[in-house]
Amino acid sequence: IWTFPQKIGIYSMVQKLATYKLSSADESMVYGRLAIFYDDWIASAKLSSPVDSSQYRDGLFALLAHINAARSEAISDPAGVENLEYLVTRIRNSYADSVQKFF
């Protein structure tokens, strides 16, 4: 269960992410910070790789696992669920865009 400051941190990252273009350096930065939020320094390092690399996609996959775990814990918080649903959708879109750029 998240503390209030953690909820604010996630909310502010989601708001920033919503203003950035898909596969942009800004988007990668937010993903890297989210990975650090989940204390996953390996995923954060992978998310600093080029967006068309398999390393970047591995980082997205690891981040998505953290978000899915948090989503199952946030069922009693509708605002939290909405933010996490947005993150899941955005990360999936980023993953698909990364695969497209690779080919």
Side-chain angles (χ1 to χ4, degrees):
I1 297 178
W2 292 344
T3 63
F4 185 71
Q6 288 172 323
K7 288 179 183 180
I8 296 297
I10 285 287
Y11 178 77
S12 66
M13 285 188 220
V14 167
Q15 294 302 309
K16 286 181 184 177
L17 193 57
T19 64
Y20 297 145
K21 290 184 177 182
L22 203 59
S23 298
S24 67
D26 292 325
E27 178 189 63
S28 298
M29 182 228 8
V30 171
Y31 287 155
R33 287 183 181 171
L34 276 169
I36 291 169
F37 175 81
Y38 286 108
D39 203 26
D40 190 340
W41 295 89
I42 294 170
S44 180
K46 289 179 177 183
L47 289 164
S48 65
S49 302
V51 296
D52 61 347
S53 70
S54 63
Q55 291 280 61
Y56 185 77
R57 289 189 294 278
D58 289 346
L60 286 175
F61 191 76
L63 183 58
L64 188 58
H66 293 299
I67 300 296
N68 279 326
R71 189 169 58 165
S72 68
E73 295 174 9
I75 291 182
S76 63
D77 181 7
V81 170
E82 186 176 328
N83 283 316
L84 294 171
E85 290 292 334
Y86 174 79
L87 283 173
V88 167
T89 302
R90 181 68 184 245
I91 292 169
R92 286 179 180 161
N93 290 341
S94 297
Y95 191 93
D97 193 55
S98 176
V99 170
Q100 270 188 326
K101 288 182 184 304
F102 181 73
F103 294 106

